Amino acid sequence: MNPNIDKTGPVLIDLSGEDTAPVDVAGAPPVPDLAEPGPQGQVMQAAAAVAARRPSRLLRWALGLGGALIITAISVAAWNFAAGLIARAPVLGWAVTGLLAAFVAVLLAIALREIAAIGRLSRIDGLRRSADAALAGGDLGAARAVTARLDALYRGREDTRWGRERLAERVDEQLDAHALLALAEAELLVPLDGRAAAEVEAAARQVATVTALVPLALADVAAALAANLRMIRRVAEIYGGRTGTLGSWRLMRAVFAHLVATGAVAAADDLLEPILGGSVLSKLSRRFGEGLVNGALTARVGVAAMEVCRPLAFTADRRPSVRGIVRRALTGLVARSRD
């Protein structure tokens, strides 16, 4: 320290010789926003990534060969067990053989049901493509063929009997492909749309509630996957899909792959704004806000499932509104959270 500095008085610094131009406040850089980002629906985004991920060809070969080896080993062991038991105790051995035969028959029945379910989904997809082609070409004959196939698809279902009867009464009056398919949509599919939308709303409420209350990271992802799988399966059944377990998973993967490819599985703040308004979402608790966003994303997945499973594509005026479904599904939850 310099001993010549006077420590008893204030120090005066002369700034008269320096540039004292006023500071341009308007040109100053903005203050960075250090606030924590709002809910992003991480559970649904993780569930979408899991469902849409397709294993590599090498992994599929490994799983297939491993499954074949396991089934072969189990079959040989069961055969040796039954044959040895027949040699030692014929009556008991034949009884066990009958049980094994019944078990194999049940497995074959399950496999046939899965194959039939996948075939039914392919049938609905082919029906939708035929309807699109008839509309694009304005082909009345092709539209009549699509209408006949649609009637056959729902034949035997009591909940569509009234609509099929009304369609049969008016089908000959339609002289335009667009008018005929619009009539088929109004009489057969619009009532089913309401039931499918109700399933989507229920799934959105369930996912919102579970992900808001379950604190475990993997448990909420599993719950969201299970709820979305059940929702997609129910939507497919409403439209006539009757999916099995493998068919439901395949359909779910197709729906999520489409949503991931289009970027639709993203933050759903825009869907929640009509029922929350402004920045209310950011003022809610972090966990509850995540639950609402995940519920809104589930509604978006449900609408995509309706578009995939419906035998006819939605016309512009009948396409379900994701915002409307979110409003009906989550308004009650928001109201209870404010009380």
Side-chain angles (χ1 to χ4, degrees):
M1 181 178 294
N2 191 346
N4 297 324
I5 297 178
D6 185 8
K7 302 178 183 179
T8 61
V11 177
L12 179 62
I13 301 176
D14 186 9
L15 299 178
S16 60
E18 298 184 7
D19 186 10
T20 58
V23 179
D24 184 9
V25 180
V31 179
D33 186 8
L34 301 179
E36 185 179 3
Q40 300 295 315
Q42 296 177 357
V43 170
M44 277 299 297
Q45 294 191 41
V50 171
R53 184 182 299 116
R54 183 178 178 84
S56 65
R57 185 181 299 273
L58 186 61
L59 180 58
R60 293 199 300 271
W61 273 101
L63 293 176
L65 292 175
L69 287 175
I70 292 174
I71 292 174
T72 302
I74 293 175
S75 300
V76 171
W79 176 263
N80 291 334
F81 172 74
L85 197 58
I86 290 175
R88 295 191 304 270
V91 176
L92 183 59
W94 284 112
V96 172
T97 302
L99 291 176
L100 290 175
F103 178 69
V104 171
V106 171
L107 291 181
L108 288 176
I110 293 174
L112 290 175
R113 189 182 65 177
E114 292 290 338
I115 294 173
I118 294 175
R120 195 172 181 88
L121 291 175
S122 300
R123 178 184 175 188
I124 291 177
D125 187 58
L127 183 60
R128 184 170 54 252
R129 288 198 301 268
S130 299
D132 293 340
L135 288 175
D139 190 343
L140 181 59
R144 291 187 185 279
V146 169
T147 304
R149 291 169 58 187
L150 190 64
D151 180 78
L153 177 65
Y154 294 121
R155 191 172 300 157
R157 284 183 52 169
E158 187 63 25
D159 57 341
T160 63
R161 181 176 60 84
W162 186 75
R164 286 185 289 107
E165 291 176 353
R166 283 179 54 87
L167 178 62
E169 293 173 357
R170 302 176 56 190
V171 66
D172 294 331
E173 303 173 1
Q174 310 303 318
L175 303 178
D176 178 75
H178 292 77
L180 178 58
L181 292 180
L183 176 65
E185 180 184 21
E187 298 297 343
L188 293 180
L189 298 182
V190 169
L192 302 182
D193 293 341
R195 293 172 53 189
E199 291 290 338
V200 174
E201 294 171 15
R205 281 192 295 269
Q206 180 181 3
V207 170
T209 303
V210 170
T211 56
L213 298 179
V214 176
L216 302 179
L218 295 180
D220 53 9
V221 174
L225 270 176
N228 280 267
L229 180 61
R230 183 167 54 252
M231 173 190 66
I232 293 175
R233 183 171 184 170
R234 284 292 302 134
V235 169
E237 290 175 352
I238 288 172
Y239 286 119
R242 293 205 197 107
T243 61
T245 303
L246 295 179
S248 298
W249 181 257
R250 182 179 180 182
L251 183 61
M252 180 179 181
R253 191 174 63 184
V255 171
F256 273 104
H258 170 72
L259 290 175
V260 170
T262 57
V265 181
D269 303 72
D270 57 330
L271 300 179
L272 293 171
E273 185 176 354
I275 61 175
L276 294 178
S279 59
V280 177
L281 180 62
S282 62
K283 298 179 181 178
L284 298 174
S285 67
R286 176 74 181 182
R287 196 70 192 176
F288 187 75
E290 283 286 344
L292 291 181
V293 172
N294 290 322
L297 292 177
T298 299
R300 181 173 284 168
V301 172
V303 172
M306 292 172 65
E307 294 177 345
V308 170
C309 299
R310 202 173 189 258
L312 300 181
F314 284 105
T315 55
D317 58 336
R318 297 192 187 277
R319 186 180 301 276
S321 169
V322 180
R323 289 178 180 269
I325 291 178
V326 171
R327 178 188 295 273
R328 292 190 297 271
L330 303 182
T331 298
L333 296 176
V334 176
R336 284 194 291 270
S337 69
R338 291 175 178 175
D339 293 342

